[in-house]
Amino acid sequence: MTSSSGASRRQVLAVAAAAATAPLLAGAPARAAAAAAGSKTWDLTILGTSDTHGNVYNWDYYKDAEYDDSKHNDVGVAKLATLVNQIRTERGSKPTLVLDAGDTIQGTPLATYYAKQEPITATGETHPMANAMNVLKYDAVTLGNHEFNYGLPLLAQWIGQLGFPALAANAVNEATGKPAFLPYVIKEVPLGGFDSPSIKVGILGLTNPGVAIWDKANVEGKLIFADMIETAAKWVPIMRQRGADLIVISAHGGDSGTSSYGPELPNENPVALIAQQVPGIDAILFGHAHNEVVQKFVTNTATGEQVLTSEPSKWGQRLTRMDFTVTRENGRWKVVGKSATMLNTNTVIEDPAVLAAVRGQHTKTVDYVNTVVAQSSEELSAAESRYKDTPILDFINHVQTEVVTTALAGTAYAGLPVLSIAAPFSRTAIFPQGDVRIRDVAGLYVYDNTLEAVVISGAEVKAYLEYSAKYFKTFAVGDTIDPATISDPLVPDYNYDVISGVDYDIDISKPVGQRITRLVMPGTDNPVAADAQFVIAVNNYRRSGGGNFPGIVKTQVYNQQQEIRQLLIDWAQAKGVINPVDFYVPNWKLVREGVPVF
C-alpha cells in the first residue's frame, strides 16, 4: 500500500526530476531513425476527456445563462463532440479512439435531477450523460469516484445504458474477490488505408480508492478499492500477454502523489508513480484533480521508456489529443513517437446531435431549477464567506442544527448542545432580494451531501478548528492582507469549515495549530471545556473522512440519509421568507493579536 507521506513524497520528487529531464517529444529520435532507415510508419490518435461532471450543454444552471468564466472557458459534451468530429473528419480512415477518465454523472442540476428528482432507476429513462456520450461514440469510460455518489443500482443502470464499456480494474467485489466492473478492453484497430494492418490497443481503467471513504455508505461491505499502482502492475502484463500492442491507462486520479485523506487508504493521486513504477505502459489519460496538463513525460525506472501523461481540465473545457507513431519491428509493433496537445472547447460551437439528444432533459431541468421557493428579505452573498461570518453560510448551519435538534428530541442526546459545520463551497453563490429559486439554493450547496451527526468533545472541537484554520496563510501584525490571496492555494475552499454553536477567534498571525486563541460558549466568556460534550451536524463527506479532519470519523447519532441541499430547499419553502434575523448569529472572526482583521 502506498501512503501519501514519507517514501511516497520522495518518490514524487524523483518522478518530477525525471519528468523535467524527459524529451519534449518522446520517441522523436527513434521515429527519425525509423524514417531514415525507410521503415514504414503508421499513426494512431487517442482523444481524452475527463471530469465532465454532468455538463452537456454550455449552460450554467445556477445563473440560468450560457456558461462563462473569467477566462471565457466553455463547458459540455456537446462542445467536446464538435472537436472530436472535426478530428475524425481530418483523419479520415486513420484510427481515432475516444476515452474518458471519469466523474461523469454528478456535478450539475441536470445530473442531480435524473438521480434524485426523477431517478433513472425509477423511471427507466436513459440518463442524459448516456444520451450525450452515446452520440459522441466513446470507446471506453473509466468510473470516477463521483459515479458512486447515487448508489450502485443507479450506477449499474447508467453503465447498462452506455454503448461502450465502463472500466474500473481496482474496484473489487468484496464477496468474490473478483473485479466488480470490466477491468480493461483490447480493441483491434485498423491503421487505415487499403488492406492496412491492425494494432491492438489495450485500455485499462482505474478508479479512485477514495470512494471507500467518500461513498462509504454506498460501497461498504460490497466493494473494495485496491491500490491503483498495484492494480496496474497486475493487469498490464496480462493485457500484453493477451495481445495488446499499445497500452493506455485511463485513470481517475491526479499526478501529485498526495492524498486528501490519511495513509490508511491507497494513494489518491498516483498517476506519476504508476508511470514510473509499472513497466509496459505507453500513455496515461488522467483526471480527478481538474488540472490542465497538456503533455508530461515520466521515465519508467525499469525500462527507461517515456510514459506520456495528460489531463484535460474539467467539465468539458478541454480535449486531450494524444498522437502515436508506430512501426513494425521483427513482427511486433513498436511506438517510435508520441506527443500530446490540448484543444479548447471555446473555439467551436456545440454539436447539434448531442444537443438534440438531451434537449428535453435539459429543458426539464431548467424549468425545475427556476422554481421559486421563497422570498429573501435582502441580498445574501457568499463572496466573503471564507474570511467573514456571513448570513448565507449561517443559513446552512441553522437548517442543519434545526434538523438534528428535532430528530434527537426525546433521545439520550437531547440535552447536548448542537453545533454545525458548513464550508464555503461557492464564492459566487447569492440569494437575490426577492425571489429565491432552487438554482440559487443549489448554487450555494453544490454537492449532493447528506446530513449526519456525531458526538464530539470540547477538545475535539478545538482540534477540528485548528485543522480548519490551516486554510489561511500566516500574516504578521501590520502586513497588508488581500482577501483574494488570504488562503493557502493547496487547501481548497471545500476543505475549510466554519462551526456554529460556539464563539471563536482565528489568529492568522500565529503558526498553524496555534490559531484558535478564543473558544467560548456562545454569548459568554466561558471557555469551552475540553471534556464538554456536543452533538455536531456534519455532511457525510466530512464525517466519512473527506479532508482528513480530526475527531469526526465516528459512529453517527443521526443519519437519515437526507440530502442537505433538499433540506435547505424544504426549509425555505416552509418558511416562505429567508430573513437573516431568523438565523444569522455572528460567532467567529479572523484576528491578529486579538484585533479583528476585517
Side-chain angles (χ1 to χ4, degrees), residues 100-183:
D100 185 89
D103 273 6
T104 303
I105 60 171
Q106 177 276 340
T108 62
L110 173 69
T112 302
Y113 190 88
Y114 289 94
K116 295 290 188 178
Q117 275 68 47
E118 292 187 16
I120 60 171
T121 46
T123 65
E125 187 170 355
T126 302
H127 194 283
M129 293 305 288
N131 281 328
M133 296 176 81
N134 286 340
V135 172
L136 197 151
K137 296 181 180 176
Y138 279 82
D139 290 280
V141 61
T142 291
L143 301 183
N145 54 283
H146 283 288
E147 263 65 84
F148 296 86
N149 285 172
Y150 303 115
L152 298 181
L154 188 138
L155 174 56
Q157 184 144 342
W158 174 68
I159 290 173
Q161 294 171 345
L162 298 175
F164 48 87
L167 311 176
N170 58 320
V172 179
N173 184 307
E174 186 166 347
T176 66
K178 296 179 179 179
F181 305 94
L182 194 64

Side-chain angles (χ1 to χ4, degrees), residues 388-391 393-395 397-398 401 418-422 461 465 496-506 516 518-524 528 583-591:
K388 287 184 182 179
D389 193 340
T390 57
L393 219 58
D394 275 10
F395 170 66
N397 275 330
H398 176 81
T401 299
V418 178
L419 315 182
S420 179
I421 293 167
V461 171
L465 288 170
Y496 167 63
D497 286 346
V498 302
I499 293 182
S500 67
V502 290
D503 294 354
Y504 61 96
D505 291 349
I506 303 172
I516 306 304
R518 178 174 172 268
L519 178 61
V520 299
M521 296 302 292
T524 76
V528 171
F583 51 80
Y584 181 40
V585 181
N587 69 298
W588 67 272
K589 60 184 180 293
L590 299 185
V591 301

Side-chain angles (χ1 to χ4, degrees), residues 60 62-63 315 380-388 390 392-393 396 422-431 439-447 471 492-496:
D60 187 330
Y62 304 124
K63 295 181 179 177
W315 304 346
L380 304 179
S381 170
E384 298 179 330
S385 293
R386 298 173 300 123
Y387 51 87
K388 287 184 182 179
T390 57
I392 201 166
L393 219 58
I396 298 172
F425 292 147
S426 170
R427 300 186 184 192
T428 59
I430 192 167
F431 289 177
R439 62 181 167 87
D440 300 316
V441 180
L444 172 66
Y445 208 100
V446 297
Y447 296 109
Y471 174 78
D493 293 354
Y494 62 78
N495 273 344
Y496 167 63

